[in-house]
Amino acid sequence: MSSSLRRGALAAAAIAFSIASLAACGAGNNAETLQIKPDLAGTAVGDIKVQNVAVITQADTEAAGPAAVMATVFNDGTKDQTLDSITLGGGHTVELEPAKGGTLTVPAGGRLVIGGENNASATVPAGRDAVQDGDNQEVTFTFSETGRVSLEALVLPADSYLSDWGPSAVPGVGEPSGEPSGSASPSGSAEAGEAEASADPSSEADAGH
């Protein structure tokens, strides 16, 4: 066989192998591997980093219940800061509540998790009167030292990997179980010394293949 024919045969074999690999990847037992997970919003101002932000509505599109804001706040500074408020564009009220036995403090070198079981909660009582699935919603966090931190966040229903981060997971509204697909379990309202968003769904936000 000539060298050109050998090169052609090798190239064809490589293409066939790649197609087979992709098919095997897509045929996994877990159907969630085929879902496209959106990137979640994040920004930083001074010592404060706000990551994995989304506004989560009821999973049932006909439900009239509240929405919720999910986020993880990191404090890279040497001084504790307090989360004073969260507001939505349009002036809709967001009700903040610390985790049971916790506070709304973002400790120096630590984090504050908002949303999910056993964490602080941020409830939007107006629900779909305030936000609509698929929209980009302005969300502003106000801190004791850094001040206002604003960004545009997606509005998403509380299904699939966000099922435990939506309004059903807000203390007093529902009793969630489990955790978002592929993420670590949030631990309390604040933990000092962690430097990565291991408690958030964004670790699985990008497609796996």
Side-chain angles (χ1 to χ4, degrees):
M1 182 184 292
S2 69
S3 59
S4 60
L5 289 176
R6 283 196 299 271
R7 285 195 297 269
L10 289 173
I15 292 171
F17 178 79
S18 298
I19 293 172
S21 297
L22 289 172
C25 178
N29 293 326
N30 185 358
E32 290 185 0
T33 61
L34 301 180
Q35 296 176 356
I36 298 174
K37 300 177 181 180
D39 291 332
L40 300 180
T43 191
V45 175
D47 293 328
I48 292 293
K49 294 179 181 177
V50 184
Q51 297 181 352
N52 309 309
V53 183
V55 182
I56 312 299
T57 61
Q58 299 285 331
D60 181 355
T61 57
E62 301 300 321
V69 177
M70 61 168 280
T72 301
V73 182
F74 293 91
N75 181 357
D76 291 338
T78 58
K79 183 177 181 179
D80 293 355
Q81 294 202 41
T82 301
L83 175 61
D84 293 332
S85 67
I86 299 176
T87 56
L88 299 185
H92 294 285
T93 300
V94 179
E95 298 177 353
L96 283 175
E97 183 178 347
K100 184 177 180 179
T103 68
L104 293 173
T105 298
V106 192
R111 66 177 180 176
L112 173 69
V113 180
I114 302 167
E117 187 176 11
N118 299 324
N119 296 316
S121 66
T123 308
V124 185
R128 285 194 173 84
D129 290 337
V131 295
Q132 295 296 320
D133 292 349
D135 286 352
N136 283 315
Q137 174 67 50
E138 183 182 38
V139 184
T140 298
F141 301 78
T142 302
F143 299 93
S144 56
E145 298 294 327
T146 298
R148 293 163 60 90
V149 178
S150 297
L151 72 168
E152 295 283 326
L154 283 171
V155 180
L156 301 168
D159 57 15
S160 185
Y161 73 108
L162 292 174
S163 59
D164 294 328
W165 292 82
S168 63
V170 174
V173 176
E175 295 294 333
S177 62
E179 60 189 54
S181 174
S183 65
S185 175
S187 52
S189 64
E191 297 181 7
E194 291 206 37
E196 61 183 53
S198 60
D200 311 310
S202 71
S203 62
E204 293 291 333
D206 297 325
H209 298 282

